[in-house]
Amino acid sequence: PVSFVTASLGLILQLPGPKIVILGTFQLAIPSPDLPIVNLKGALYSEITPDHVVVRILLEDSVIAGLSVSGEIGVYLGLGADPSFAISAGGFHPQYQPPAELNDMRRLTIDMSPPAILTIRATAYVALTTNSFQLGGRLEAVGEIGPVSIHGFIQVDAILRWAPSFSFEVDLSAGFDMRFEGVSFAGVSLSLHLAGPRPWMIHGTATLEIPILPDIDVEVGPITWNREPNPPPPMISPRALVLEALNE
């Protein structure tokens, strides 16, 4: 017999709440605990009340195909008069306010650094909520030789909402700079924001940093078009749709 998953769990029951809390640690090793390609270790916290169910999993000291992995996974299910849900790996879009129980989630992080000189790290998140889908990530690289270092990154944050009306926002940024003893002395950075569809809006900025000379800033927009209102879609009765289909 091979144990791919091992866990140590504790159960706490609070009365008269009632409130049930499950705490523990776990390890997932695939395909074999002796030679795992996927080796996930972490801590588990779960909370069950009449109002909500929360599950948070914190990954630490984990490895996938030789790459160090960390971050947090969370699930929220609201059970009260205003039911809702949120599922996330790595957190949420910077402009989105998640349930308080899933605040401050750690981004999923993968360290892809070679043995020396270069540091490469990627962070990411993906989330699905009652009214939105969110996706984002950042890839960052740093190379150091003595007091001189080179730093570059590219980052994207996107959110798609379908309630109360359909809309989306995408932010893209990138940058590259050279540093001496940690202080930047030359570089370029770019950022772009796109939102829509009613109204459409685009806004871009660029900054060029040159030794001795003052920084050069270039800004485009914000430019907007199609300012017609974007009302929410009409309410639809699933029961009426089923009845119509059966009649046909």
Side-chain angles (χ1 to χ4, degrees), residues 66-67 111-121 140-144:
L67 301 176
D111 192 342
M112 301 177 288
S113 305
I117 300 179
L118 194 62
T119 301
I120 303 176
R121 179 172 297 178
E140 191 168 6
V142 179
E144 296 184 3

Side-chain angles (χ1 to χ4, degrees), residues 8-202:
S8 177
L9 301 176
L11 179 65
I12 301 172
L13 175 60
Q14 176 182 314
L15 296 173
K19 181 178 180 180
I20 300 174
V21 174
I22 301 174
L23 302 171
T25 59
F26 70 93
Q27 180 177 4
L28 169 64
I30 299 174
S32 167
D34 296 330
L35 295 172
I37 297 176
V38 176
N39 189 10
L40 301 181
K41 302 177 183 179
L44 168 70
Y45 174 85
S46 179
E47 179 180 294
I48 303 172
T49 72
D51 297 324
H52 62 255
V53 176
V54 178
V55 179
R56 294 185 66 159
I57 299 173
L58 177 63
L59 299 177
E60 293 180 319
D61 301 324
S62 299
V63 177
I64 297 179
L67 301 176
S68 176
V69 178
S70 62
E72 199 166 358
I73 300 170
V75 178
Y76 173 85
L77 180 62
L79 305 175
D82 185 20
S84 62
F85 76 90
I87 303 172
S88 170
F92 298 86
H93 188 279
Q95 302 301 321
Y96 182 81
Q97 182 60 48
E101 291 79 5
L102 296 184
N103 265 334
D104 304 323
M105 289 184 60
R106 299 185 188 180
R107 291 282 191 252
L108 294 179
T109 302
I110 300 179
D111 192 342
M112 301 177 288
S113 305
I117 300 179
L118 194 62
T119 301
I120 303 176
R121 179 172 297 178
T123 61
Y125 66 90
V126 59
L128 178 66
T129 71
T130 309
N131 68 330
S132 69
F133 175 72
Q134 307 166 35
L135 181 69
R138 178 183 176 98
L139 179 63
E140 191 168 6
V142 179
E144 296 184 3
I145 301 177
V148 179
S149 64
I150 298 175
H151 170 259
F153 77 92
I154 182 169
Q155 177 173 330
V156 62
D157 294 287
I159 181 170
L160 172 68
R161 297 184 177 92
W162 47 81
S165 60
F166 177 80
S167 65
F168 72 90
E169 295 181 44
V170 179
D171 290 280
L172 176 65
S173 59
F176 173 84
D177 67 338
M178 300 179 65
R179 303 176 182 181
F180 181 79
E181 294 187 347
V183 179
S184 175
F185 65 89
V188 61
S189 62
L190 306 169
S191 65
L192 177 68
H193 175 76
L194 175 65
R198 293 184 181 179
W200 288 95
M201 192 272 284
I202 187 170

